[in-house]
Amino acid sequence: MMSVAAWSWIILILFFTMMIFFGYVGMKKTHTNDDFATARSSYGPITIALVISAGISSGSTFMGMPGLAFDIGAPSLWYPLLYPVASVIGMLFFAKTIKEYGDTLGTRTIPEFIGNRYNSSFLRIILAIISALLIFYVISQLVAAATMFQIMMGVEYEVGIIITIVVIGVYVVMGGSHSDILTDAVQGLFMLLIALIVLVCFIFAVGAEGGFSDMISTIQDRRPDGHFGKLFIPGDDTYGSIWLIILLFIAHLPFAIQPHLGNKFMAVKSSYDMKKLLMWTTIFATILPLMGLGGMLAISVLPEDVGIRPDAVIPTLFTELFPPFIAAFLAIAVLSAVMSTSDGLVVSLTQLLANDLFRLSIVPKLNISTEKADKIELNISRYATPVVLIIAATVAWSPPQYLSIFMWIGIGGIVSSTAGPLVVGSLWKRANKLSAIISLIIGSIAYWVIYLPFGFNVSNPFAAAGLGVIISMVAMTISVFATTKKGENNLIESQ
Amino acid sequence: MTFLYIIFIVNAFTWIAMYLTLFKTSLLDTEEDE
């Protein structure tokens, strides 16, 4: 009988071929840099909902989080439970506005959107610089992909990184956002399928001795401090108390404003589709992280002395439960989770150069036609893609311990700096440019001071980012009261 | 079992709350809706 690794290779080659095909389809749709950056008004709500849900769920959703559940037990499930909920609630604040600005002003990126909302080049440039930190997110995804290759297919870690960046690089260079969206929608479907399989396995205690209640008892015996009756881990930096969990939730409210997620709202066909988009996103995004339950199932299925690294728990569980052909599909789901996040990040990172820097800051100073400028922008986007991937791959060569923690170095900076200008600013017409600048600076500095070792050294990035978000929103509110008059309207109209 | 109930309740509440917010309030209404 063929092994899991052999099946994985066959399915993987088919999968990669499909991705490159979608890259080609995307290339046919990409004529301008606007196409590359946004795929504006091109896709239906279910497609974009799959893309956003797949983008929100990263490699850590499929490996790191189940690994943590297996390692420390149920209290770690607060993270996969709450981050999608907070993210979709956050979308209510800004998704519609981003789409409207995109449709009427031709906004292409989130830094540009904030710049337009407040009529401020300074905000755009600062946010573009902060967004460059998303490179850490790409790095964490490459680590996840390479780990998957190592565990499931016996491929050397470094080779796994190279395979991943080559495939992503090829289809992103070809079709930018169109390829990103087409591939992510398919990847999202794979991920949904695997998450549902894990959920069904958990509900029916597949592989565990006895039925569901026996599985729960076994988990209780094997993880006395982490069974389903335990909500917190006393003294733990991340899951130690309800207050830390609340901060984790708050930290994720602006999560979908990250440039690689926020720009997807511009790709939906019409503003009229926004309600359906958010509803489908809610459904898909809350199902995917139920992968964490796989880690709990593994506690009762795998032998107590299994001796695997936490990240390897889902691949090991699949190999234990399923025939090689089905187990091999997990490799595709993990790669899908990695690629669906990485490709969008790479597109967004290229747009920091092509759009936010070149088109908006340099082109106005050059005496060149719009057509010529657009051609240069598209070239910058395409050439920057391999550069971004090579930089990320170089750093990913030495892997960190937990994926989900590592990527928060970058994400925390973005959510802390944008919470005030975006969440408060989207609800309040009185919110003005000066307040947005003050809020962005205070929010981001607060996050770094709280999080980084030379500050308060709060090692829990969720708590640091949650505090950063609160500080940013409070700073915005106080500043608006202090610098504007009652009834003042500072909204730069999109229509 | 407490945590399992929490997972079920939080997800069910989110789906219902989002449905009501999106389709039964005017929060995301566009001109086409009006």
Side-chain angles (χ1 to χ4, degrees):
Chain A
M1 196 166 77
M2 279 171 65
S3 67
V4 175
W7 275 115
S8 297
W9 275 116
I10 293 171
I11 297 172
L12 209 62
I13 288 166
L14 291 172
F15 175 72
F16 284 160
T17 310
M18 197 194 304
M19 295 304 110
I20 302 298
F21 169 74
F22 284 121
Y24 176 75
V25 176
M27 187 173 75
K28 291 284 174 194
K29 292 170 179 271
T30 304
H31 308 292
T32 64
N33 198 50
D34 191 61
D35 298 329
F36 192 99
T38 66
R40 197 179 303 286
S41 305
S42 302
Y43 298 94
I46 296 180
T47 305
I48 299 298
L50 274 170
V51 173
I52 293 175
S53 306
I56 290 174
S57 299
S58 61
S60 83
T61 308
F62 277 68
M63 294 183 79
M65 291 178 207
L68 212 53
F70 178 76
D71 198 24
I72 65 174
S76 74
L77 294 175
W78 281 115
Y79 181 30
L81 173 66
L82 292 183
Y83 87 80
V85 174
S87 299
V88 294
I89 290 173
M91 288 176 204
L92 290 171
F93 293 93
F94 44 73
K96 181 182 153 194
T97 317
I98 291 173
K99 172 66 177 159
E100 284 174 355
Y101 271 69
D103 285 349
T104 53
L105 299 180
T107 305
R108 293 181 187 174
T109 65
I110 295 305
E112 186 185 355
F113 162 69
I114 294 190
N116 284 345
R117 162 64 180 85
Y118 292 102
N119 193 22
S120 166
S121 299
F122 177 80
L123 278 173
R124 167 171 52 81
I125 292 166
I126 293 294
L127 194 59
I129 292 169
I130 295 173
S131 298
L133 293 167
L134 284 172
I135 192 84
F136 285 110
Y137 205 166
V138 181
I139 293 161
S140 79
Q141 298 311 296
L142 294 183
V143 170
T147 307
M148 187 285 295
F149 274 111
Q150 220 175 6
I151 294 167
M152 292 201 70
M153 302 168 75
V155 172
E156 279 189 38
Y157 178 84
E158 292 79 6
V159 178
I161 288 180
I162 292 168
I163 295 174
T164 311
I165 65 166
V166 167
V167 176
I168 294 175
V170 169
Y171 74 70
V172 170
V173 165
M174 285 199 282
S177 283
H178 278 290
S179 303
D180 171 21
I181 287 167
L182 290 165
T183 53
D184 287 10
V186 178
Q187 290 159 1
L189 275 178
F190 276 121
M191 292 157 67
L192 209 54
L193 181 69
I194 292 292
L196 287 171
I197 289 174
V198 166
L199 180 62
V200 170
C201 285
F202 178 81
I203 291 169
F204 292 98
V206 175
E209 279 186 36
F212 185 80
S213 53
D214 296 306
M215 174 187 74
I216 299 294
S217 303
T218 309
I219 292 170
Q220 194 158 351
D221 292 342
R222 293 185 177 180
R223 294 288 185 279
D225 296 323
H227 59 79
F228 282 113
K230 297 279 184 185
L231 299 186
F232 308 106
I233 304 171
D236 187 85
D237 283 345
T238 309
Y239 306 105
S241 71
I242 186 68
W243 302 111
L244 291 171
I245 301 304
I246 289 171
L247 286 176
L248 184 155
F249 182 84
I250 292 170
H252 285 84
L253 285 171
F255 192 75
I257 200 61
Q258 291 174 88
H260 66 295
L261 298 169
N263 72 345
K264 300 299 186 294
F265 298 120
M266 301 175 204
V268 74
K269 269 180 187 157
S270 116
S271 293
Y272 186 68
D273 290 325
M274 199 52 76
K275 294 178 181 182
K276 287 181 198 161
L277 167 62
L278 293 198
M279 193 65 231
W280 281 111
T281 304
T282 303
I283 294 168
F284 298 148
T286 49
I287 289 174
L288 293 177
L290 294 175
M291 283 296 297
L293 293 173
M296 298 303 289
L297 173 65
I299 294 172
S300 74
V301 171
L302 301 180
E304 276 190 272
D305 57 350
V306 64
I308 50 168
R309 51 187 282 186
D311 285 345
V313 70
I314 290 290
T316 311
L317 182 71
F318 266 61
T319 311
E320 180 82 17
L321 294 183
F322 299 113
F325 174 73
I326 296 177
F329 267 100
L330 179 68
I332 305 301
V334 175
L335 262 186
S336 293
V338 167
M339 292 167 82
S340 59
T341 302
S342 314
D343 53 11
L345 285 164
V346 172
V347 171
S348 294
L349 285 165
T350 65
Q351 293 316 303
L352 300 180
L353 289 173
N355 187 69
D356 301 328
L357 183 65
F358 181 74
R359 172 175 163 253
L360 298 172
S361 294
I362 296 175
V363 169
K365 294 175 184 142
L366 301 175
N367 188 21
I368 55 173
S369 67
T370 312
E371 290 75 23
K372 190 173 180 189
D374 189 76
K375 204 175 171 185
I376 299 171
E377 289 159 23
L378 190 55
N379 280 334
I380 293 174
S381 301
R382 288 198 159 126
Y383 287 122
T385 300
V387 173
V388 168
L389 283 166
I390 288 167
I391 293 171
T394 308
V395 181
W397 226 246
S398 302
Q401 191 182 3
Y402 284 117
L403 305 169
S404 55
I405 305 296
F406 189 71
M407 68 183 182
W408 267 86
I409 293 171
I411 299 170
I414 294 171
V415 296
S416 303
S417 61
T418 55
L422 278 173
V423 179
V424 178
S426 68
L427 294 173
W428 207 8
K429 289 181 178 177
R430 196 172 151 184
N432 61 339
K433 178 172 31 175
L434 179 61
S435 303
I437 292 172
I438 291 170
S439 159
L440 182 137
I441 291 171
I442 290 179
S444 47
I445 290 176
Y447 173 72
W448 296 119
V449 170
I450 293 166
Y451 186 53
L452 292 176
F454 55 78
F456 291 102
N457 196 19
V458 171
S459 60
N460 170 3
F462 310 129
L467 288 169
V469 166
I470 293 171
I471 291 167
S472 173
M473 293 201 286
V474 169
M476 182 82 190
T477 308
I478 292 172
S479 183
V480 170
F481 277 123
T483 61
T484 61
K485 293 178 185 147
K486 194 177 177 185
E488 199 173 307
N489 183 355
N490 290 302
L491 188 64
I492 306 298
E493 292 292 347
S494 61
Q495 289 163 3
Chain B
M1 290 288 280
T2 316
F3 213 110
L4 280 176
Y5 294 133
I6 290 175
I7 291 173
F8 179 76
I9 291 167
V10 168
N11 280 321
F13 177 79
T14 304
W15 286 30
I16 294 167
M18 284 298 280
Y19 174 80
L20 295 175
T21 308
L22 291 169
F23 298 106
K24 301 294 175 190
T25 74
S26 59
L27 186 69
L28 264 75
D29 276 356
T30 59
E31 284 176 11
E32 292 168 74
D33 295 309
E34 291 151 11

